[in-house]
Amino acid sequence: MITHLKGKLVEKNPTHVVIECAGVGYFVNISLHTFSKIGDSESIQLYTHLQVKEDSHTLFGFSEKSEREIFRLLLSVSGIGSSTARTMLSSLSPGQIRDAIATGDVPTIQGIKGIGAKTAQRVILDLKDKVLKVYDIDELSAPSNNTNKDEALSALEVLGFVRKQAEKVVDKVVAQDPGLSVEDIIKFALKNL
């Protein structure tokens, strides 16, 4: 019903924000991931998910559509409610959750407070196929903490290259010389694309 809110940021807390839209203040529950993405600017836009129960209507907000998508996937798992899904997105980034599910990484998901072994296995079992299909993942490379690589990939996407192709080329370039600058990674990648 409410797909996004755009308005004035009235109140900001690690667990919720209040957004004023056309004179109406909306109380929106957020994850720590979204909290970290929200700057101190007065104007804000969040993608939302409205949860309707018999006794309440609860609004959840996300800085990125991908985070909302992961949240909705998590809610589809038996035993995962909105508070558990929000805790998961507060503990790990949406990308980390997606990758952990896609690779069947039970210890990563189990490392989240309140998630036991059975729940972690159920999350992976229920969502692995959906995650692989939705994000069109063939094979996952080991997660890297190389911000230069990430910036180079973003730049190549902006230039119009398909992410999967660009990622393979960038991975090869970075594997040969992990210390390259963003500009050099892009230059070498462009020669091979």
Side-chain angles (χ1 to χ4, degrees):
M1 183 174 135
I2 301 172
T3 192
H4 75 270
L5 292 173
K6 188 174 188 177
K8 181 180 174 187
L9 181 62
V10 178
E11 187 181 326
K12 178 183 170 188
N13 292 295
T15 57
H16 71 272
V17 292
V18 175
I19 302 173
E20 185 178 317
C21 303
V24 178
Y26 291 91
F27 183 96
V28 184
N29 293 285
I30 59 170
S31 68
L32 286 175
H33 176 76
T34 293
F35 177 76
S36 68
K37 295 275 186 187
I38 296 173
D40 290 325
S41 61
E42 200 170 291
S43 181
I44 183 176
Q45 177 175 335
L46 291 180
Y47 300 98
T48 58
H49 173 81
L50 177 64
Q51 186 175 52
V52 179
K53 291 185 175 177
E54 281 182 30
D55 57 346
S56 69
H57 291 152
T58 311
L59 204 53
F60 294 90
F62 309 95
S63 60
E64 306 157 336
K65 284 184 178 179
S66 61
E67 185 181 12
R68 179 175 65 181
E69 188 60 39
I70 293 288
F71 180 80
R72 288 176 171 168
L73 285 172
L74 291 171
L75 289 182
S76 72
V77 177
S78 172
I80 302 273
S82 55
S83 61
T84 304
R86 184 169 69 159
T87 300
M88 291 175 78
L89 287 164
S90 293
S91 303
L92 298 171
S93 73
Q96 289 172 318
I97 292 174
R98 179 197 66 212
D99 293 349
I101 291 169
T103 57
D105 188 354
V106 174
T108 297
I109 294 176
Q110 195 178 337
I112 300 167
K113 187 180 185 293
I115 303 286
K118 285 185 178 178
T119 305
Q121 289 167 348
R122 190 179 315 119
V123 166
I124 290 169
L125 186 68
D126 288 4
L127 298 182
K128 188 169 185 172
D129 290 341
K130 290 179 186 174
V131 165
L132 292 173
K133 185 177 172 189
V134 168
Y135 292 97
D136 195 25
I137 300 170
D138 285 338
E139 63 216 35
L140 273 175
S141 55
S144 75
N145 295 327
N146 190 335
T147 54
N148 287 354
K149 175 187 157 188
D150 296 338
E151 286 179 38
L153 271 173
S154 296
L156 289 168
E157 275 187 292
V158 170
L159 291 172
F161 292 97
V162 178
R163 183 169 182 94
K164 281 171 74 176
Q165 287 177 316
E167 201 162 15
K168 286 179 185 173
V169 173
V170 167
D171 283 342
K172 284 180 189 172
V173 171
V174 172
Q176 290 169 354
D177 186 356
L180 289 172
S181 68
V182 177
E183 295 81 12
D184 289 336
I185 293 173
I186 294 169
K187 284 177 190 173
F188 285 120
L190 287 171
K191 288 177 185 174
N192 295 309
L193 281 169

